[in-house]
Amino acid sequence: MECVKCDKKAIFLEPTFCKDHFIKYFEDKVLNTIKKYDLIDKDDKIVVAVSGGKDSLVLLYILNNNFENVEALCIDEGIQGYRDKTIKILKDFCSKHNVNLNIKKFQKEFGKPLDIILKENKIKPCTVCGVFRRKLMNKYSKEYDVIATGHNRDDISQAILMDLLKYNLSLLSRLSPVSGTKTRKGFTKKIKPLYFISEKEVMAYSIILGIRTGFEECPNVEDAYRLKVRDELNRYEIKHLGTKKNIVDWYIKNHIDIKEKIKNSELVLRSCNRCGEPTSREICNSCTMEQKILSKDTLKVL
Ligand code: SF4
Ligand code: ZN
């Protein structure tokens, strides 16, 4: 099959493009999203939250090629056999593309790696990991103007559906291409430049440019509900092409109304008495968890 723009062989079917036209289509789509939603100012200091997976590496690659001040931030939870592998990939990528990589470790920040925390406590891995990761991302993104994440259209449609099914309007209201703001104390502007790009497109771009070809999954992945929604949505997409795009399009048309609806019921934020991070309570979620699951000896040295 031929590319719809030239007579070269197509390497991607929907849309039908040859290699060069696909790359141009992909990069234009990301840069247009940045422009349309005012995600980045020319002089912004940008940090990309990276895991070593294809989405965050593709995002880092494009932002680094198009903006001046781009760095990478990775959280090393301490998951042996998984995170050590992705960090190696990340280090090679950043040294090849001349990007400053900051790695923040659970071991240093909380006194123990996730593997040990899980051995010592009967607790769901993603619950503790999610809370601690968010805390470190928030803490170490403050010196930047924006923090960019590699969520693609498939991730977003899945999150929208999950929040709708659970009727969690507060989480639902934070799924637009830009959330968080510098004007709100303690927060950095969060952006999702791959918002309108499908997972398939990210995968193709990543393979064509040799950014990332392998796939590793965290051995602790256990959010059964999320996986169920993901699988159902994938099944539905195969039967009814365009379902994920329709969900995201619906959200984009309605997210301002959703935000307005929850505005008045939003909790007032203050600073955590222990760590100073924003929270609605006296002690933030992460500090409460640290106090519960880390030993007294560990807490003393924090
Ligand atoms: Fe952490 Fe769960 Fe993600 Fe693994 S799957 S990195 S434990 S949040
Ligand atoms: Zn705290």
Side-chain angles (χ1 to χ4, degrees):
M1 198 179 287
E2 256 181 28
C3 170
V4 291
K5 297 258 185 196
C6 69
D7 55 7
K8 284 194 198 137
K9 192 174 166 242
I11 51 103
F12 199 82
L13 288 184
E14 279 158 25
T16 312
F17 284 138
C18 67
K19 183 177 151 197
D20 292 343
H21 280 112
F22 176 74
I23 292 173
K24 175 147 182 21
Y25 153 82
F26 188 99
E27 292 173 358
D28 283 353
K29 207 165 165 186
V30 178
L31 296 173
N32 285 340
T33 301
I34 292 174
K35 205 168 163 197
K36 183 168 178 191
Y37 291 92
D38 202 12
L39 301 188
I40 300 173
D41 284 338
K42 197 165 69 49
D43 300 323
D44 274 351
K45 207 172 165 208
I46 305 160
V47 66
V48 181
V50 284
S51 63
K54 65 176 186 337
D55 302 283
S56 56
L57 287 188
V58 161
L59 178 61
L60 181 58
Y61 178 81
I62 293 181
L63 293 185
N64 192 45
N65 284 344
N66 288 279
F67 295 91
E68 288 298 323
N69 300 314
V70 180
E71 295 189 10
L73 173 62
C74 171
I75 306 299
D76 178 1
E77 309 88 347
I79 307 170
Q80 249 192 16
Y82 166 64
R83 186 56 76 213
D84 38 346
K85 277 188 197 157
T86 63
I87 284 183
K88 161 124 195 18
I89 292 164
L90 207 44
K91 281 183 175 166
D92 291 347
F93 181 92
C94 289
S95 99
K96 185 174 166 195
H97 295 279
N98 217 2
V99 176
N100 189 25
L101 170 65
N102 302 298
I103 300 178
K104 300 295 170 192
K105 292 173 179 278
F106 274 22
Q107 168 81 58
K108 175 144 191 290
E109 300 287 332
F110 303 111
K112 292 175 187 192
L114 184 66
D115 282 349
I116 301 292
I117 296 175
L118 296 179
K119 251 186 210 150
E120 294 176 349
N121 297 276
K122 221 172 164 259
I123 187 163
K124 284 188 172 177
C126 296
T127 307
V128 58
C129 182
V131 170
F132 284 4
R133 284 173 60 85
R134 259 194 305 282
K135 178 169 192 170
L136 297 185
M137 279 291 174
N138 202 29
K139 183 174 167 188
Y140 289 104
S141 62
K142 284 200 179 76
E143 59 182 280
Y144 302 90
D145 296 301
V146 288
I147 177 164
T149 59
H151 295 102
N152 61 48
R153 191 173 72 196
D154 291 49
D155 302 325
I156 309 283
S157 62
Q158 189 186 311
I160 293 169
L161 192 57
M162 267 178 65
D163 293 341
L164 274 176
L165 293 173
K166 291 194 168 182
Y167 196 60
N168 191 333
L169 291 187
S170 175
L171 285 183
L172 186 66
S173 72
R174 289 178 226 159
L175 293 175
S176 48
V178 56
S179 60
T181 161
K182 263 279 170 209
T183 53
R184 208 166 172 192
K185 199 172 164 276
F187 287 101
T188 305
K189 180 176 166 184
K190 293 191 180 73
I191 60 167
K192 304 178 187 75
L194 304 184
Y195 200 90
F196 297 101
I197 307 267
S198 74
E199 173 124 31
K200 249 192 216 163
E201 290 172 333
V202 180
M203 180 100 73
Y205 184 86
S206 169
I207 292 172
I208 292 168
L209 292 178
I211 293 173
R212 182 83 159 89
T213 46
F215 174 77
E216 279 91 27
E217 190 161 59
C218 173
N220 299 323
V221 63
E222 42 102 74
D223 188 341
Y225 190 71
R226 175 174 282 274
L227 293 183
K228 245 186 237 165
V229 171
R230 183 187 72 184
D231 292 347
E232 281 305 318
L233 204 46
N234 284 344
R235 254 195 295 276
Y236 217 77
E237 177 74 35
I238 291 169
K239 274 195 197 156
H240 309 279
L241 202 67
T243 297
K244 292 179 189 177
K245 181 178 177 299
N246 291 343
I247 292 174
V248 171
D249 287 351
W250 169 82
Y251 183 81
I252 285 292
K253 279 204 185 94
N254 292 285
H255 79 279
I256 294 177
D257 287 347
I258 299 168
K259 258 190 196 142
E260 277 302 311
K261 273 203 180 83
I262 66 136
K263 214 174 179 179
N264 297 332
S265 60
E266 265 205 311
L267 298 165
V268 179
L269 289 180
R270 43 168 291 163
S271 295
C272 167
N273 283 351
R274 183 169 175 264
C275 71
E277 290 296 313
T279 176
S280 56
R281 297 175 305 183
E282 284 191 7
I283 302 282
C284 75
N285 224 352
S286 175
C287 284
T288 310
M289 205 171 269
E290 286 168 52
Q291 284 170 331
K292 255 190 222 156
I293 68 175
L294 300 177
S295 71
K296 300 241 169 351
D297 290 350
T298 312
L299 283 172
K300 257 182 236 155
V301 298
L302 287 176

